[in-house]
Coordinates of all heavy atoms in Angstrom, one line a residue:
M1 N 144.9 46.2 55.5 CA 144.3 47.6 55.2 C 143.2 47.4 54.1 O 143.5 46.9 53.1 CB 145.4 48.5 54.8 CG 145.1 49.9 55.0 SD 146.5 51.0 54.6 CE 146.3 51.1 52.8
E2 N 142.1 48.0 54.4 CA 141.0 47.9 53.5 C 141.1 49.1 52.5 O 141.2 50.3 52.9 CB 139.7 47.9 54.2 CG 138.6 47.1 53.4 CD 137.3 47.0 54.2 OE1 137.4 46.6 55.3 OE2 136.3 47.3 53.6
R3 N 141.0 48.8 51.2 CA 141.0 49.8 50.2 C 139.6 50.0 49.6 O 138.9 49.0 49.4 CB 142.0 49.5 49.1 CG 142.7 50.7 48.6 CD 144.0 50.3 47.9 NE 143.8 49.2 47.0 CZ 143.5 49.4 45.7 NH1 143.3 50.6 45.2 NH2 143.3 48.3 44.9
K4 N 139.2 51.2 49.3 CA 137.9 51.4 48.8 C 137.9 50.9 47.3 O 138.7 51.3 46.5 CB 137.5 52.9 48.8 CG 136.0 53.0 49.0 CD 135.6 54.5 49.1 CE 134.3 54.7 48.5 NZ 134.2 55.9 47.6
Q5 N 137.0 50.0 47.1 CA 136.9 49.4 45.7 C 136.2 50.4 44.8 O 135.1 50.8 45.1 CB 136.1 48.1 45.8 CG 136.2 47.3 44.5 CD 137.4 46.4 44.5 OE1 137.9 46.0 45.6 NE2 137.8 46.0 43.3
P6 N 136.9 50.8 43.7 CA 136.2 51.7 42.8 C 135.0 51.1 42.1 O 135.0 49.9 41.8 CB 137.3 52.1 41.8 CG 138.3 51.0 41.9 CD 138.2 50.4 43.3
K7 N 134.0 51.9 41.9 CA 132.8 51.4 41.2 C 132.6 52.1 39.9 O 132.9 53.3 39.7 CB 131.6 51.6 42.1 CG 131.7 50.7 43.3 CD 130.3 50.6 44.0 CE 130.4 49.5 45.1 NZ 129.5 49.9 46.2
C8 N 131.9 51.4 39.0 CA 131.6 51.9 37.7 C 130.7 53.2 37.9 O 129.7 53.1 38.6 CB 130.9 50.9 36.9 SG 130.4 51.4 35.2
I9 N 131.1 54.3 37.2 CA 130.3 55.5 37.3 C 129.0 55.4 36.6 O 128.1 56.3 36.8 CB 131.1 56.7 36.9 CG1 131.7 56.5 35.5 CG2 132.2 57.1 37.8 CD1 132.4 57.8 34.9
I10 N 128.7 54.4 35.9 CA 127.5 54.2 35.1 C 126.5 53.3 35.9 O 125.4 53.6 36.2 CB 127.7 53.8 33.7 CG1 128.5 54.8 32.9 CG2 126.3 53.5 33.0 CD1 128.9 54.3 31.5
C11 N 127.1 52.1 36.2 CA 126.2 51.1 36.8 C 126.6 50.6 38.2 O 125.9 49.8 38.7 CB 126.1 49.9 35.8 SG 127.7 49.0 35.8
S12 N 127.6 51.2 38.8 CA 128.1 50.8 40.1 C 128.6 49.4 40.3 O 128.8 49.0 41.4 CB 127.0 51.1 41.2 OG 126.6 52.4 41.2
R13 N 128.8 48.7 39.2 CA 129.5 47.4 39.4 C 131.0 47.7 39.7 O 131.5 48.8 39.5 CB 129.5 46.6 38.1 CG 128.2 45.9 37.7 CD 128.4 45.1 36.5 NE 127.1 44.6 36.0 CZ 126.3 45.2 35.2 NH1 126.6 46.4 34.7 NH2 125.2 44.7 34.8
I14 N 131.6 46.7 40.4 CA 133.0 46.9 40.8 C 133.9 47.0 39.6 O 133.7 46.3 38.6 CB 133.5 45.6 41.6 CG1 132.6 45.4 42.9 CG2 135.0 45.7 42.0 CD1 132.7 46.5 43.9
V15 N 134.9 48.0 39.7 CA 135.8 48.2 38.6 C 137.0 47.4 38.7 O 137.6 47.2 39.8 CB 136.2 49.7 38.6 CG1 137.3 50.0 37.6 CG2 135.0 50.6 38.3
E16 N 137.5 46.8 37.6 CA 138.7 46.0 37.6 C 139.9 47.0 38.0 O 139.9 48.1 37.6 CB 139.0 45.5 36.2 CG 138.0 44.5 35.7 CD 138.4 43.1 36.2 OE1 139.6 42.7 36.1 OE2 137.5 42.4 36.7
E17 N 140.8 46.5 38.7 CA 141.9 47.3 39.2 C 142.8 47.8 38.1 O 143.3 48.9 38.1 CB 142.8 46.5 40.2 CG 142.2 46.5 41.6 CD 143.2 46.0 42.6 OE1 144.4 46.5 42.5 OE2 142.8 45.2 43.4
S18 N 142.9 47.0 37.0 CA 143.7 47.4 35.9 C 143.1 48.6 35.0 O 143.8 49.2 34.3 CB 144.0 46.3 35.0 OG 142.8 45.7 34.5
S19 N 141.8 48.9 35.3 CA 141.2 49.9 34.4 C 141.6 51.3 34.8 O 141.6 51.6 36.0 CB 139.7 49.7 34.6 OG 139.0 50.7 33.8
K20 N 141.9 52.1 33.8 CA 142.3 53.5 34.1 C 141.1 54.4 34.1 O 141.2 55.5 34.6 CB 143.4 53.9 33.1 CG 142.9 54.0 31.7 CD 144.1 54.5 30.8 CE 144.0 54.0 29.5 NZ 143.1 54.4 28.5
V21 N 140.0 53.9 33.5 CA 138.8 54.8 33.6 C 137.8 54.1 34.6 O 137.8 52.9 34.7 CB 138.2 54.9 32.2 CG1 138.9 56.0 31.4 CG2 138.1 53.6 31.5
P22 N 137.0 54.9 35.3 CA 136.1 54.3 36.3 C 134.9 53.6 35.7 O 133.8 54.0 35.9 CB 135.7 55.5 37.1 CG 135.8 56.7 36.2 CD 136.9 56.3 35.2
L23 N 135.2 52.6 34.9 CA 134.1 51.8 34.3 C 134.3 50.3 34.5 O 135.4 49.8 34.6 CB 134.1 52.1 32.8 CG 133.9 53.5 32.3 CD1 134.1 53.6 30.8 CD2 132.5 54.0 32.6
C24 N 133.2 49.6 34.6 CA 133.2 48.1 34.8 C 133.6 47.4 33.5 O 133.7 48.1 32.4 CB 131.9 47.7 35.3 SG 130.6 47.8 34.0
N25 N 133.7 46.1 33.6 CA 134.1 45.3 32.4 C 133.2 45.6 31.2 O 133.7 45.7 30.1 CB 134.0 43.9 32.7 CG 135.3 43.4 33.3 OD1 136.3 44.1 33.3 ND2 135.3 42.2 33.9
I26 N 131.9 45.6 31.4 CA 130.9 45.8 30.3 C 131.1 47.1 29.7 O 131.2 47.3 28.5 CB 129.5 45.6 30.9 CG1 129.3 44.2 31.4 CG2 128.5 46.0 29.8 CD1 128.0 44.0 32.1
H27 N 131.2 48.1 30.5 CA 131.2 49.5 30.0 C 132.6 49.8 29.4 O 132.7 50.6 28.5 CB 130.8 50.5 31.0 CG 129.3 50.5 31.2 ND1 128.7 50.1 32.4 CD2 128.3 50.8 30.4 CE1 127.4 50.2 32.2 NE2 127.1 50.6 31.0
I28 N 133.7 49.2 30.0 CA 135.0 49.4 29.4 C 135.1 48.8 28.0 O 135.7 49.4 27.1 CB 136.1 48.9 30.3 CG1 137.5 49.6 30.0 CG2 136.3 47.4 30.2 CD1 137.6 50.9 30.6
R29 N 134.4 47.7 27.8 CA 134.4 47.1 26.5 C 133.7 48.1 25.5 O 134.2 48.2 24.3 CB 133.6 45.8 26.5 CG 134.2 44.8 25.5 CD 133.5 43.4 25.7 NE 133.8 42.8 27.1 CZ 133.0 41.9 27.7 NH1 131.9 41.6 27.1 NH2 133.3 41.5 28.9
A30 N 132.6 48.7 25.9 CA 131.9 49.6 25.0 C 132.8 50.9 24.8 O 132.8 51.4 23.6 CB 130.6 50.1 25.7
Y31 N 133.5 51.3 25.8 CA 134.4 52.4 25.7 C 135.5 52.1 24.6 O 135.8 52.9 23.8 CB 135.0 52.7 27.1 CG 136.1 53.8 27.1 CD1 135.8 55.0 27.4 CD2 137.4 53.4 26.9 CE1 136.7 56.0 27.5 CE2 138.4 54.4 27.0 CZ 138.1 55.7 27.3 OH 139.0 56.7 27.4
N32 N 136.1 50.9 24.7 CA 137.2 50.6 23.8 C 136.6 50.5 22.4 O 137.3 50.8 21.4 CB 137.8 49.2 24.2 CG 138.7 49.4 25.4 OD1 139.2 50.5 25.7 ND2 138.8 48.3 26.2
K33 N 135.4 50.0 22.2 CA 134.8 49.8 20.9 C 134.6 51.2 20.3 O 134.8 51.4 19.1 CB 133.4 49.2 21.1 CG 133.1 48.1 20.0 CD 131.8 47.6 20.1 CE 131.7 46.4 21.1 NZ 130.3 45.9 21.3
L34 N 134.2 52.2 21.2 CA 134.0 53.5 20.7 C 135.3 54.1 20.1 O 135.3 54.7 19.1 CB 133.6 54.4 21.9 CG 132.1 54.7 22.1 CD1 132.0 55.5 23.4 CD2 131.5 55.3 21.0
A35 N 136.4 53.9 20.9 CA 137.7 54.5 20.5 C 138.1 53.9 19.1 O 138.7 54.6 18.3 CB 138.7 54.2 21.5
L36 N 137.9 52.6 18.9 CA 138.2 51.9 17.7 C 137.4 52.5 16.6 O 137.8 52.8 15.5 CB 137.9 50.4 17.8 CG 139.0 49.6 18.4 CD1 138.5 48.1 18.5 CD2 140.3 49.6 17.6
K37 N 136.1 52.6 16.8 CA 135.1 53.0 15.8 C 135.4 54.5 15.3 O 135.2 54.8 14.2 CB 133.7 53.0 16.4 CG 132.6 52.5 15.5 CD 131.3 52.4 16.2 CE 130.3 51.7 15.3 NZ 129.1 51.4 16.0
Y38 N 135.9 55.3 16.2 CA 136.2 56.7 15.8 C 137.1 56.7 14.7 O 136.9 57.5 13.7 CB 136.7 57.5 17.0 CG 137.1 58.9 16.6 CD1 136.2 59.8 16.2 CD2 138.4 59.3 16.7 CE1 136.5 61.1 15.8 CE2 138.8 60.6 16.3 CZ 137.8 61.5 15.9 OH 138.1 62.8 15.5
G39 N 138.1 55.9 14.7 CA 139.1 55.8 13.6 C 138.4 55.5 12.2 O 138.6 56.2 11.2
D40 N 137.5 54.5 12.2 CA 136.8 54.2 11.0 C 135.9 55.4 10.5 O 135.9 55.7 9.4 CB 135.8 53.0 11.3 CG 136.6 51.8 11.6 OD1 137.8 51.7 11.4 OD2 136.0 50.8 12.2
W41 N 135.2 55.9 11.5 CA 134.2 57.0 11.1 C 135.0 58.2 10.6 O 134.5 58.9 9.7 CB 133.4 57.4 12.4 CG 132.3 56.4 12.6 CD1 132.4 55.1 12.5 CD2 130.9 56.7 13.0 NE1 131.1 54.5 12.8 CE2 130.3 55.5 13.1 CE3 130.3 57.9 13.2 CZ2 128.9 55.5 13.5 CZ3 128.9 57.9 13.6 CH2 128.3 56.6 13.7
K42 N 136.1 58.5 11.2 CA 136.9 59.7 10.8 C 137.3 59.5 9.4 O 137.3 60.4 8.6 CB 138.1 59.8 11.7 CG 138.6 61.2 11.9 CD 139.6 61.3 13.0 CE 140.9 61.9 12.4 NZ 142.0 61.8 13.3
N43 N 137.7 58.3 9.0 CA 138.1 58.0 7.6 C 136.9 58.2 6.7 O 137.0 58.8 5.6 CB 138.7 56.6 7.5 CG 140.0 56.5 8.1 OD1 140.7 57.5 8.3 ND2 140.4 55.3 8.5
A44 N 135.8 57.7 7.1 CA 134.6 57.7 6.3 C 134.0 59.1 6.1 O 133.6 59.5 5.0 CB 133.5 56.8 6.9
Y45 N 134.1 59.9 7.2 CA 133.5 61.3 7.1 C 134.5 62.3 6.6 O 134.1 63.4 6.3 CB 133.0 61.7 8.5 CG 131.6 61.1 8.8 CD1 131.5 59.9 9.5 CD2 130.5 61.8 8.4 CE1 130.2 59.4 9.8 CE2 129.2 61.3 8.7 CZ 129.1 60.1 9.4 OH 127.9 59.6 9.7
G46 N 135.8 62.0 6.6 CA 136.8 63.0 6.3 C 137.2 63.7 7.5 O 138.2 63.5 8.1
D47 N 136.4 64.7 7.9 CA 136.7 65.5 9.1 C 135.6 65.4 10.1 O 134.4 65.8 9.9 CB 136.8 67.0 8.6 CG 137.4 67.8 9.8 OD1 138.1 67.2 10.6 OD2 137.1 69.0 9.8
L48 N 135.9 64.8 11.2 CA 134.9 64.5 12.3 C 135.6 64.7 13.6 O 136.6 63.9 13.9 CB 134.4 63.1 12.1 CG 133.2 62.7 13.0 CD1 131.9 63.4 12.7 CD2 133.0 61.2 12.9
S49 N 135.1 65.6 14.4 CA 135.7 65.8 15.7 C 135.2 64.7 16.7 O 134.1 64.2 16.5 CB 135.4 67.2 16.3 OG 134.1 67.2 16.7
P50 N 136.0 64.4 17.7 CA 135.5 63.4 18.7 C 134.1 63.7 19.2 O 133.3 62.8 19.4 CB 136.6 63.4 19.8 CG 137.8 63.9 19.1 CD 137.3 64.9 18.0
R51 N 133.9 65.0 19.5 CA 132.6 65.3 20.1 C 131.4 65.1 19.1 O 130.4 64.6 19.4 CB 132.6 66.8 20.5 CG 131.3 67.2 21.2 CD 131.4 68.6 21.8 NE 132.2 68.6 23.0 CZ 131.8 68.4 24.2 NH1 130.5 68.1 24.4 NH2 132.6 68.4 25.3
E52 N 131.7 65.5 17.8 CA 130.7 65.2 16.7 C 130.4 63.7 16.6 O 129.3 63.3 16.4 CB 131.2 65.8 15.4 CG 131.1 67.3 15.3 CD 131.8 67.8 14.1 OE1 132.8 67.2 13.6 OE2 131.5 68.9 13.7
F53 N 131.5 63.0 16.7 CA 131.4 61.5 16.6 C 130.5 61.0 17.7 O 129.6 60.2 17.4 CB 132.8 60.9 16.7 CG 132.9 59.5 17.0 CD1 132.4 58.5 16.1 CD2 133.3 59.0 18.2 CE1 132.5 57.2 16.4 CE2 133.4 57.7 18.5 CZ 132.9 56.8 17.6
L54 N 130.8 61.4 18.9 CA 130.0 60.9 20.1 C 128.5 61.3 19.9 O 127.6 60.5 20.2 CB 130.5 61.5 21.4 CG 131.9 61.0 21.7 CD1 132.5 61.7 23.0 CD2 131.9 59.5 22.0
E55 N 128.3 62.5 19.4 CA 126.9 62.9 19.2 C 126.2 62.1 18.2 O 125.0 61.8 18.3 CB 126.8 64.4 18.9 CG 127.0 65.2 20.2 CD 127.4 66.7 19.9 OE1 127.5 67.1 18.8 OE2 127.5 67.4 20.9
K56 N 126.9 61.8 17.1 CA 126.3 60.9 16.1 C 126.0 59.5 16.6 O 125.0 58.9 16.2 CB 127.3 60.8 14.9 CG 127.2 62.0 13.9 CD 128.1 61.7 12.7 CE 128.3 63.0 11.9 NZ 127.1 63.6 11.4
I57 N 126.9 59.0 17.4 CA 126.6 57.7 18.0 C 125.3 57.7 18.8 O 124.5 56.8 18.8 CB 127.8 57.3 19.0 CG1 129.1 57.0 18.2 CG2 127.4 56.1 19.8 CD1 129.1 55.6 17.5
L58 N 125.2 58.8 19.6 CA 124.0 59.0 20.4 C 122.7 59.0 19.6 O 121.7 58.5 20.0 CB 124.2 60.2 21.3 CG 123.7 60.2 22.7 CD1 124.2 59.0 23.5 CD2 124.2 61.5 23.4
E59 N 122.8 59.7 18.4 CA 121.6 59.9 17.6 C 121.3 58.6 16.8 O 120.2 58.4 16.3 CB 121.9 61.0 16.6 CG 121.9 62.4 17.1 CD 122.5 63.4 16.2 OE1 122.7 63.0 15.0 OE2 122.8 64.5 16.7
N60 N 122.3 57.7 16.7 CA 122.1 56.5 15.9 C 121.3 55.5 16.6 O 121.6 55.0 17.6 CB 123.5 55.9 15.5 CG 123.5 54.9 14.5 OD1 122.5 54.2 14.3 ND2 124.6 54.7 13.8
E61 N 120.2 55.1 15.9 CA 119.3 54.1 16.6 C 119.9 52.7 16.6 O 119.4 51.9 17.4 CB 117.9 54.1 15.8 CG 118.1 53.7 14.4 CD 116.7 53.6 13.7 OE1 115.8 52.9 14.2 OE2 116.6 54.2 12.6
Y62 N 120.9 52.5 15.9 CA 121.6 51.2 15.9 C 122.7 51.0 16.9 O 123.2 49.9 17.1 CB 122.1 50.8 14.5 CG 121.0 50.8 13.5 CD1 120.9 51.7 12.5 CD2 120.1 49.7 13.5 CE1 119.9 51.7 11.5 CE2 119.1 49.7 12.5 CZ 119.0 50.7 11.6 OH 118.0 50.7 10.7
S63 N 123.0 52.1 17.6 CA 124.1 52.1 18.6 C 123.5 51.3 19.8 O 122.4 51.3 20.1 CB 124.4 53.5 19.1 OG 124.9 54.2 18.0
G64 N 124.4 50.5 20.4 CA 124.0 49.6 21.5 C 123.7 50.5 22.8 O 124.2 51.6 22.9
K65 N 123.0 49.9 23.7 CA 122.6 50.5 24.9 C 123.8 50.9 25.7 O 123.9 52.0 26.2 CB 121.7 49.6 25.7 CG 121.3 50.0 27.1 CD 120.3 49.0 27.7 CE 120.1 49.2 29.2 NZ 121.1 48.6 30.0
W66 N 124.7 50.0 25.9 CA 125.9 50.3 26.7 C 126.8 51.3 26.1 O 127.3 52.2 26.8 CB 126.7 49.0 27.0 CG 126.0 48.0 27.9 CD1 125.3 48.4 29.0 CD2 125.8 46.6 27.8 NE1 124.7 47.3 29.6 CE2 125.0 46.2 28.9 CE3 126.3 45.7 26.9 CZ2 124.7 44.8 29.1 CZ3 126.0 44.3 27.1 CH2 125.2 43.9 28.2
V67 N 126.9 51.2 24.8 CA 127.7 52.2 24.1 C 127.2 53.6 24.4 O 127.9 54.6 24.7 CB 127.8 52.0 22.6 CG1 128.4 53.1 21.8 CG2 128.7 50.7 22.3
K68 N 125.8 53.8 24.2 CA 125.2 55.1 24.4 C 125.4 55.5 25.9 O 125.6 56.7 26.1 CB 123.7 55.0 24.1 CG 123.4 55.0 22.6 CD 122.0 55.1 22.3 CE 121.7 55.2 20.8 NZ 120.4 55.3 20.5
E69 N 125.3 54.6 26.8 CA 125.5 55.0 28.2 C 126.9 55.6 28.4 O 127.1 56.6 29.1 CB 125.3 53.8 29.2 CG 123.9 53.4 29.3 CD 123.7 52.1 30.1 OE1 124.7 51.4 30.4 OE2 122.5 51.8 30.4
V70 N 127.9 54.9 27.7 CA 129.3 55.4 27.8 C 129.4 56.8 27.2 O 130.1 57.7 27.7 CB 130.3 54.4 27.2 CG1 131.7 54.9 27.1 CG2 130.3 53.1 28.0
V71 N 128.8 57.0 26.0 CA 128.9 58.2 25.3 C 128.3 59.4 26.2 O 128.9 60.4 26.3 CB 128.1 58.2 24.0 CG1 127.9 59.6 23.4 CG2 128.8 57.3 23.0
R72 N 127.2 59.1 26.8 CA 126.5 60.1 27.7 C 127.5 60.6 28.8 O 127.6 61.7 29.1 CB 125.2 59.6 28.3 CG 124.1 59.8 27.3 CD 122.7 59.7 27.9 NE 121.8 59.2 26.9 CZ 121.4 57.9 26.8 NH1 121.8 57.0 27.6 NH2 120.6 57.6 25.8
I73 N 128.1 59.6 29.4 CA 129.0 59.9 30.5 C 130.2 60.6 30.1 O 130.7 61.5 30.8 CB 129.3 58.6 31.4 CG1 129.6 59.0 32.8 CG2 130.5 57.8 30.8 CD1 128.3 59.0 33.7
I74 N 130.8 60.3 28.9 CA 131.9 61.0 28.4 C 131.6 62.4 28.1 O 132.3 63.3 28.5 CB 132.5 60.3 27.1 CG1 133.1 58.9 27.4 CG2 133.6 61.2 26.5 CD1 133.5 58.2 26.2
L75 N 130.4 62.6 27.5 CA 130.0 64.0 27.2 C 129.7 64.8 28.4 O 129.8 66.0 28.4 CB 128.8 64.0 26.2 CG 129.0 63.5 24.8 CD1 127.7 63.3 24.1 CD2 129.9 64.5 24.1
S76 N 129.4 64.2 29.5 CA 129.0 64.9 30.7 C 130.1 65.1 31.7 O 130.0 65.9 32.6 CB 127.8 64.3 31.4 OG 128.2 63.0 31.9
Q77 N 131.2 64.4 31.5 CA 132.3 64.5 32.5 C 133.6 64.9 31.7 O 134.2 64.2 31.0 CB 132.6 63.2 33.2 CG 131.3 62.7 33.9 CD 131.6 62.0 35.2 OE1 132.8 61.8 35.5 NE2 130.6 61.6 35.9
K78 N 134.0 66.2 32.1 CA 135.2 66.7 31.4 C 136.5 65.8 31.5 O 137.2 65.7 30.6 CB 135.5 68.1 32.0 CG 135.0 69.2 31.2 CD 135.6 70.6 31.8 CE 134.7 71.7 31.2 NZ 134.6 72.8 32.1
E79 N 136.6 65.3 32.7 CA 137.8 64.5 32.9 C 137.8 63.2 32.0 O 138.9 62.8 31.5 CB 137.9 64.0 34.4 CG 139.0 64.7 35.2 CD 138.9 64.3 36.6 OE1 139.1 63.1 36.9 OE2 138.6 65.1 37.5
L80 N 136.7 62.6 31.9 CA 136.5 61.4 31.1 C 136.8 61.8 29.7 O 137.4 61.0 28.9 CB 135.2 60.8 31.4 CG 135.0 59.3 31.1 CD1 136.1 58.5 31.8 CD2 133.7 58.9 31.4
M81 N 136.2 62.9 29.2 CA 136.5 63.3 27.9 C 137.9 63.5 27.6 O 138.4 63.1 26.6 CB 135.7 64.7 27.7 CG 135.9 65.3 26.3 SD 135.3 64.3 24.9 CE 133.7 65.0 24.6
Q82 N 138.7 64.1 28.5 CA 140.1 64.2 28.4 C 140.8 62.9 28.2 O 141.7 62.7 27.4 CB 140.7 65.0 29.6 CG 140.4 66.5 29.6 CD 140.8 67.2 28.3 OE1 141.8 66.9 27.8 NE2 139.9 68.0 27.8
T83 N 140.4 61.9 29.0 CA 141.0 60.6 29.0 C 140.7 59.9 27.6 O 141.5 59.3 27.0 CB 140.4 59.7 30.1 OG1 140.6 60.4 31.3 CG2 141.1 58.3 30.1
F84 N 139.4 60.1 27.2 CA 139.0 59.6 25.9 C 139.8 60.2 24.8 O 140.3 59.5 23.9 CB 137.5 59.8 25.7 CG 136.9 59.2 24.4 CD1 136.9 57.8 24.3 CD2 136.4 60.0 23.4 CE1 136.4 57.2 23.2 CE2 135.9 59.4 22.3 CZ 135.9 58.0 22.1
L85 N 140.0 61.5 24.8 CA 140.8 62.2 23.7 C 142.2 61.7 23.7 O 142.8 61.5 22.7 CB 140.7 63.7 23.9 CG 139.4 64.4 23.7 CD1 139.5 65.8 24.0 CD2 138.8 64.1 22.4
G86 N 142.7 61.5 24.9 CA 144.1 60.9 25.1 C 144.2 59.5 24.5 O 145.1 59.2 23.8
D87 N 143.2 58.7 24.7 CA 143.2 57.4 24.1 C 143.1 57.4 22.6 O 143.8 56.6 21.9 CB 142.0 56.6 24.7 CG 142.2 56.0 26.0 OD1 143.4 56.0 26.4 OD2 141.3 55.5 26.7
L88 N 142.3 58.3 22.1 CA 142.2 58.4 20.6 C 143.5 58.8 20.0 O 143.9 58.3 19.0 CB 141.2 59.5 20.3 CG 139.7 59.2 20.6 CD1 138.8 60.3 20.1 CD2 139.3 57.9 20.0
S89 N 144.2 59.8 20.6 CA 145.5 60.2 20.0 C 146.6 59.2 20.2 O 147.4 59.1 19.3 CB 145.9 61.6 20.6 OG 146.0 61.6 21.9
S90 N 146.6 58.4 21.3 CA 147.6 57.4 21.4 C 147.4 56.3 20.4 O 148.3 55.6 19.9 CB 147.6 56.8 22.8 OG 146.5 56.1 23.1
R91 N 146.0 56.1 20.0 CA 145.8 55.1 19.0 C 146.3 55.6 17.6 O 146.8 54.8 16.8 CB 144.3 54.9 18.9 CG 143.8 53.7 19.7 CD 142.3 53.7 19.9 NE 141.9 53.2 21.2 CZ 141.7 52.0 21.5 NH1 141.9 51.1 20.6 NH2 141.4 51.6 22.7
D92 N 146.1 56.9 17.4 CA 146.5 57.5 16.1 C 148.0 57.3 15.9 O 148.5 57.0 14.8 CB 146.3 59.0 16.1 CG 144.9 59.3 15.6 OD1 144.2 58.4 15.2 OD2 144.5 60.5 15.6
M93 N 148.7 57.4 17.0 CA 150.2 57.3 16.9 C 150.7 55.9 16.6 O 151.7 55.7 15.9 CB 150.9 57.8 18.2 CG 150.9 59.3 18.3 SD 151.9 59.9 19.7 CE 150.8 59.6 21.0
K94 N 149.9 55.0 17.1 CA 150.2 53.6 16.8 C 149.9 53.3 15.3 O 150.4 52.3 14.8 CB 149.4 52.6 17.7 CG 150.1 52.3 19.0 CD 149.2 51.4 19.8 CE 149.0 52.0 21.3 NZ 147.8 51.5 21.9
G95 N 149.1 54.1 14.7 CA 148.8 53.9 13.3 C 147.7 52.9 13.1 O 147.6 52.1 12.3
Ligands
ZN1 ZN1 129.3 49.7 34.3

């Protein structure tokens, strides 16, 4: 039985089966980096919502190309934003 291979919603590369978000290896790495970075930024800024954080990343000229692509897709897709928020809170719980 042939199963449809999921593709990255940003670049259309094949998505790893283990990935819970529709992103390829390259973009999933950027996604994970974002989630990690949010913790640091939140500490530095005091109060920073995930959306504000993503907008700051987008405005930052030092942010990487792939990271910015991931931010744009998170901001434009409600479902992905929900997944991202879920990842952030599960990280919080781990401390
Ligand atoms: Zn990709």
Side-chain angles (χ1 to χ4, degrees):
M1 205 176 79
E2 207 175 312
R3 214 157 52 86
K4 210 177 152 226
Q5 193 84 26
K7 290 197 174 145
C8 178
I9 52 176
I10 298 171
C11 67
S12 297
R13 282 186 188 87
I14 300 294
V15 171
E16 292 279 311
E17 278 193 48
S18 58
S19 177
K20 64 181 149 72
V21 283
L23 298 172
C24 67
N25 274 346
I26 294 169
H27 285 113
I28 200 78
R29 214 173 296 154
Y31 175 94
N32 287 333
K33 220 184 274 178
L34 267 178
L36 277 176
K37 217 173 188 176
Y38 176 63
D40 295 345
W41 281 42
K42 211 172 122 191
N43 290 338
Y45 279 92
D47 191 26
L48 185 71
S49 75
R51 186 173 284 274
E52 284 167 339
F53 163 71
L54 294 173
E55 281 162 2
K56 279 184 193 297
I57 292 281
L58 218 48
E59 287 162 14
N60 191 332
E61 59 179 309
Y62 299 108
S63 300
K65 173 176 171 274
W66 289 320
V67 167
K68 283 189 179 178
E69 285 173 351
V70 171
V71 168
R72 277 195 208 100
I73 208 90
I74 293 174
L75 287 172
S76 68
Q77 302 217 357
K78 260 189 198 151
E79 252 177 63
L80 203 54
M81 178 61 100
Q82 287 307 318
T83 307
F84 185 65
L85 294 178
D87 278 348
L88 292 182
S89 55
S90 67
R91 267 165 216 274
D92 270 357
M93 281 189 285
K94 272 178 227 155

